[in-house]
């Protein structure tokens, strides 16, 4: 169980769904101390499992990239375009994280790429054990790329190391330029920030300069790329970034 968000476990779904139960911790006496201690224990266990994932990925020459965003930022659309344009050369497979349904995994499979769906129920993030289970099911080939679409959430995914080699935060111009200031931990965790849906800039009130300033205040020197996963504008920079990190 996650003391931060109260979630527990995850279910791998191929073409069907399962129920999900949740546990909650209720204590007396010193609840803050108990919560902090439990959170530290959960994160420590997760970090140990993440190191096992990282070692396994490195031993097999597999690049794993954790894609994080709020819901609706365009992660799945970006994955679909990336697979269609690069998948044959990079041998891409995908771990999909959502609370319910297999909708995104079905979209990925329609591109021809292998995908495994992990449903977290009320859980708000993937963790290292879920990734390990997903990798076991996917069995990705050596010297390939695993793209991990985390649960849409700008808080908890930043706390949980999965064993990935890189973290990418995706946000869109429809969300508001203040996101890096409101959710700095997510942007501090990023190796790359993608500002998506730039084709909509003429139609929305979005201050690009303010967004860039906020992102770099949270994470000085972080690379920010502007693109549209729908039109393809700017995606070449994302592809170059991805290729540069291949084993």
């Amino acid at each position: 169980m996650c003391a931060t968000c109260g979630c527990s476990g995850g279910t791998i779904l191929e073409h069907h769904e399962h129920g999900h139960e949740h546990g909650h911790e209720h204590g007396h006496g010193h609840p803050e101390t108990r919560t902090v201690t439990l959170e530290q224990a959960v994160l420590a266990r997760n970090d140990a499992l993440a190191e096992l994932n990282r070692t396994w990925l490195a031993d097999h020459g597999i690049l794993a990239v954790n894609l994080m965003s709020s819901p609706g930022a365009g992660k799945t659309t970006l994955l679909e375009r990336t697979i269609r344009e690069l998948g044959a050369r990079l041998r891409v497979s995908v771990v999909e994280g959502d609370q319910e349904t297999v909708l995104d995994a079905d979209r990925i499979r329609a591109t021809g790429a292998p995908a495994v769906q992990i449903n977290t129920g009320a859980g708000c993030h993937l963790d290292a054990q879920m990734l390990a289970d997903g990798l076991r099911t996917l069995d990705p080939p050596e010297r390939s790329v695993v793209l991990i679409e985390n649960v849409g959430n700008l808080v908890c995914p930043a706390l949980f190391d999965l064993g990935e080699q890189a973290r990418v935060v995706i946000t869109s111009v429809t969300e508001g330029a203040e996101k890096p200031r409101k959710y700095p931990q997510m942007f501090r965790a990023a190796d790359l920030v993608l500002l998506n849906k730039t084709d909509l800039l003429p139609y929305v009130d979005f201050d690009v300069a303010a967004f860039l300033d906020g992102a770099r205040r949270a994470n000085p020197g972080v690379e920010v790329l502007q693109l549209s996963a729908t039109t393809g504008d700017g995606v070449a920079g994302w592809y170059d970034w991805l290729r540069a990190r291949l084993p």
Side-chain angles (χ1 to χ4, degrees):
M1 186 190 72
C2 170
T4 303
C5 59
C7 64
S8 60
T11 303
I12 292 182
L13 295 188
E14 291 302 319
H15 300 286
H16 56 277
E17 301 181 33
H18 298 284
H20 188 79
E21 297 182 356
H22 314 281
H24 299 274
E25 192 76 12
H26 300 279
H28 303 281
H30 303 283
E32 287 189 14
T33 301
R34 290 170 61 87
T35 299
V36 169
T37 301
L38 179 56
E39 180 179 332
Q40 290 174 339
V42 168
L43 291 175
R45 178 178 180 276
N46 180 82
D47 289 347
L49 292 171
E51 284 304 316
L52 294 177
N53 289 344
R54 189 171 287 109
T55 299
W56 185 88
L57 290 163
D59 288 346
H60 291 79
I62 297 170
L63 172 65
V65 180
N66 185 2
L67 304 177
M68 302 178 289
S69 78
S70 58
K75 293 191 302 297
T76 310
T77 301
L78 180 64
L79 285 175
E80 288 174 312
R81 179 175 284 275
T82 300
I83 293 164
R84 288 192 173 110
E85 296 185 352
L86 294 185
R89 284 169 285 171
L90 298 186
R91 295 190 297 172
V92 177
S93 53
V94 176
V95 175
E96 279 289 344
D98 272 311
Q99 290 188 321
E100 298 292 345
T101 80
V102 295
L103 296 174
D104 286 349
D106 286 345
R107 286 174 61 181
I108 296 302
R109 292 187 189 109
T111 70
V116 60
Q117 180 76 52
I118 299 178
N119 283 358
T120 62
C124 56
H125 60 86
L126 296 176
D127 62 26
Q129 183 61 63
M130 294 176 196
L131 178 60
D133 294 341
L135 291 172
R136 193 174 301 111
T137 301
L138 271 180
D139 191 23
E142 293 192 356
R143 303 200 172 278
S144 65
V145 177
V146 174
L147 298 177
I148 305 157
E149 183 173 355
N150 217 315
V151 179
N153 180 354
L154 285 177
V155 182
C156 292
L159 298 175
F160 284 80
D161 182 7
L162 306 182
E164 71 275 55
Q165 285 90 344
R167 291 180 169 190
V168 176
V169 173
I170 304 171
T171 189
S172 70
V173 302
T174 58
E175 297 178 62
E178 74 284 354
K179 282 295 185 288
R181 295 173 57 200
K182 294 175 70 173
Y183 302 96
Q185 184 61 37
M186 175 61 75
F187 287 83
R188 288 189 195 110
D191 297 293
L192 174 69
V193 174
L194 299 179
L195 178 60
N196 191 23
K197 304 187 183 181
T198 54
D199 55 305
L200 299 180
L201 278 172
Y203 313 106
V204 297
D205 182 15
F206 186 90
D207 189 333
V208 173
F211 174 83
L212 295 174
D213 179 69
R216 287 170 177 145
R217 283 178 182 269
N219 189 348
V222 69
E223 186 174 3
V224 182
L225 299 177
Q226 301 179 45
L227 55 81
S228 169
T230 299
T231 67
D233 290 343
V235 296
W238 154 242
Y239 297 162
D240 288 344
W241 184 93
L242 197 59
R243 280 189 290 249
R245 280 151 186 81
L246 292 173

